[in-house]
Amino acid sequence: MSNKNTFYLPDLGEGLPDATIVEWSVKVGDTIRLDETLVSMETAKAVVELPSPVSGKILKLAGEAGDVVNTGAMLVEFEVDASLPQRAAGQDTGHGHGPPAPGKGVGSEDPGSDDKVVASDDGGAISADGEAPAEGAPRADSGTVVGAMQSSDAVRSEQASTAGGVKAMPAVRAMARKLKVDLSRVAATGTDGVVTMADVKKAAADGSATMGAAPARQSPAAAPAPAAHAAAAPAAARSTLSQAGKPMRTQPPGVAASGQPEQLKGVRRNMARVMAAAHAQVVPTTLVDDADLHGWIGKQDITARLIRAICNACKEVPALNAWFDGDKLVRTLHPHVDIGIAVDTDDGLFVPALRNADVLDGNGIRSAIKRLRAQVEDRSIPASELSGYTISLSNFGMFAGRYATPVVVPPTVAIVGAGKLSHDVVAVIGGIEVHRRMPISLTFDHRAATGGEAARFLKALLDDLALPN
């Protein structure tokens, strides 16, 4: 019987089709023990660590850092070492292929009180002959985590790991790679010498730990540089001027002069899929108008006022605070209001949910939004907070732009876009005045709501924004 086993990339939550390798904790030829950290993987919603399902020697790895691996594809091949601890027959492995237990998907809230996240829904399949298990095969364990757990109710939370002599969370390692920061040169300020997200950002800002930065003294290994320079000289010597001294092309028009193709990964990759699916499924229609803020008394929190106005409009016209199933032609109206707040990041678009927005006051709204933005920034937000909202808000006007056609993402029915504030000349009885106004765009799915419902919703929103306070 062969002692070669294959570990397949498990579904890391909510049917995600792939994940990106952030950092391997091993290399080919290394020996790893059961449940030691194998690799950090980035999905659209989290960076998680996968533990080793066996003890043994690494024979083959699926790729290098930055490579995308499809769910169900080979991730690692092992040569099992029978002299090292192995999982006993019948022990909960967490490597089944059944559906995840409700509420225990990757990134869902840890049942504990530490605000951490569950590492994975399912483990990868391990087979003696290296073949994937048959689809629909029964599973004998809970499958709530990757790796061995003594109790089926236990979860594996994201923890700081040591790699290359540096202790850091997977999300911190991903951020360091993105910012091109060498973790081994970062001054750690966390507990027990753990490098924190703030440490990485500080190093990126002051340039003290730039990845690949040249040392102060020239290394002998740099000797081939002149040869490389000489090889590049002929290309650099080619003139862009004709003999008459006029500019001329050095490449055909269809050939790009610079730039490299970049494979979309993680959040941006998922954003591309979601936007394409929304474009294919939704029948969008957009209404625009301006909210007159001339009556506001004193300085007010614009975002909090927008949230309140959306909540009041949802109560006036529930048809837009809804979900719509286009396949079954079923509409679900929601009695509560959970608003998806679009948050722009360098990695891509996040839409965390502001839960029970209709019962929060101004201070509650501001503190909740601040918390969500902080969790998005350091990639600690649970996946459960990135779905389930009933209507969306895009406050793009904080950057630029007056009106837009924001994208409705199923199953929601509507999204509100707030443009850049402006001072406009307004005709009033007896003359003209200059009023501060906010452009509002409302995009709705015309399959689920009528034009009249959308117009009444927009009017209710504008009326609330026009109130003094």
Side-chain angles (χ1 to χ4, degrees):
M1 175 174 162
S2 172
N3 62 349
K4 186 178 80 169
N5 284 30
T6 303
F7 178 50
Y8 300 92
L9 178 65
D11 180 355
L12 297 179
E14 301 185 11
L16 295 175
D18 52 44
T20 303
I21 299 171
V22 174
E23 185 176 29
W24 287 106
S25 298
V26 295
K27 59 182 182 296
V28 174
D30 286 354
T31 297
I32 189 171
R33 298 176 71 90
L34 178 69
D35 289 327
E36 288 182 345
T37 300
L38 183 65
V39 63
S40 296
M41 303 292 295
E42 180 182 19
T43 70
K45 298 180 178 180
V47 177
V48 298
E49 290 182 341
L50 300 185
S52 176
V54 297
S55 297
K57 182 179 179 181
I58 304 295
L59 298 180
K60 183 178 180 181
L61 303 177
E64 299 178 352
D67 289 347
V68 176
V69 181
N70 293 328
T71 300
M74 186 280 293
L75 186 62
V76 184
E77 285 188 358
F78 299 91
E79 181 179 353
V80 178
D81 188 339
S83 65
L84 296 176
Q86 303 293 340
R87 185 165 291 111
Q91 185 179 0
D92 184 0
T93 65
H95 293 301
H97 280 261
K104 294 186 178 180
V106 63
S108 63
E109 295 184 6
D110 192 331
S113 58
D114 50 10
D115 294 326
K116 296 180 179 178
V117 297
V118 178
S120 169
D121 292 321
D122 297 303
I126 300 296
S127 60
D129 58 3
E131 296 294 323
E135 184 174 352
R139 59 185 294 169
D141 53 59
S142 63
T144 57
V145 298
V146 175
M149 286 289 151
Q150 298 303 320
S151 167
S152 61
D153 293 328
V155 296
R156 183 184 182 95
S157 297
E158 185 176 297
Q159 298 176 349
S161 62
T162 302
V166 179
K167 293 178 69 175
M169 299 283 283
V172 174
R173 295 182 184 278
M175 179 62 72
R177 184 176 297 278
K178 174 189 162 191
L179 298 179
K180 300 188 184 305
V181 170
D182 185 350
L183 280 176
S184 65
R185 299 167 59 190
V186 175
T189 62
T191 305
D192 296 328
V194 174
V195 177
T196 66
M197 191 71 72
D199 296 336
V200 170
K201 292 181 179 179
K202 181 177 182 296
D206 60 27
S208 61
T210 304
M211 188 178 295
R217 185 170 297 179
Q218 182 69 25
S219 170
H229 176 74
R238 186 175 182 182
S239 174
T240 58
L241 299 177
S242 67
Q243 291 183 347
K246 296 182 179 180
M248 65 178 185
R249 291 197 307 266
T250 58
Q251 290 182 330
V255 178
S258 62
Q260 292 294 326
E262 178 186 0
Q263 181 71 47
L264 296 184
K265 300 169 185 174
V267 179
R268 195 172 293 272
R269 186 181 183 90
N270 188 64
M271 179 184 71
R273 290 196 187 99
V274 170
M275 293 297 109
H279 179 73
Q281 297 172 18
V282 175
V283 181
T285 304
T286 302
L287 299 179
V288 299
D289 209 328
D290 295 290
D292 195 322
L293 314 183
H294 186 64
W296 282 20
I297 299 175
K299 185 177 180 180
Q300 300 191 39
D301 188 320
I302 294 175
T303 301
R305 286 295 304 267
L306 274 169
I307 296 293
R308 191 189 77 172
I310 291 173
C311 292
N312 287 341
C314 287
K315 294 186 182 302
E316 290 283 337
V317 187
L320 273 71
N321 185 48
W323 289 346
F324 180 69
D325 187 330
D327 295 328
K328 300 178 181 178
L329 297 181
V330 172
R331 183 181 69 163
T332 303
L333 303 183
H334 298 285
H336 58 279
V337 182
D338 290 348
I339 301 180
I341 309 292
V343 177
D344 178 64
T345 73
D346 292 339
D347 293 326
L349 180 67
F350 285 81
V351 187
L354 179 63
R355 304 292 183 195
N356 302 307
D358 50 325
V359 299
L360 297 176
D361 60 11
N363 291 333
I365 290 173
R366 175 49 56 194
S367 62
I369 291 177
K370 184 178 180 180
R371 172 181 58 81
L372 291 173
R373 288 186 184 278
Q375 289 180 326
V376 165
E377 184 178 350
D378 62 18
R379 298 296 296 274
S380 64
I381 188 166
S384 59
E385 295 296 329
L386 295 171
S387 60
Y389 44 86
T390 60
I391 191 170
S392 304
L393 168 64
S394 175
N395 193 6
F396 61 86
M398 62 188 300
F399 302 114
R402 290 180 61 81
Y403 306 103
T405 54
V407 178
V408 176
V409 176
T412 58
V413 170
I415 179 172
V416 174
K420 186 177 181 180
L421 292 173
S422 63
H423 289 83
D424 301 332
V425 175
V426 178
V428 297
I429 297 176
I432 58 174
E433 294 178 353
V434 176
H435 289 193
R436 187 169 66 147
R437 302 203 299 178
M438 180 192 299
I440 299 293
S441 304
L442 171 65
T443 298
F444 66 99
D445 188 344
H446 217 324
R447 300 175 303 168
T450 68
E453 288 169 330
R456 290 192 294 274
F457 180 96
L458 181 57
K459 182 179 185 304
L461 188 150
L462 298 177
D463 288 347
D464 189 89
L465 285 174
L467 296 175
N469 50 43

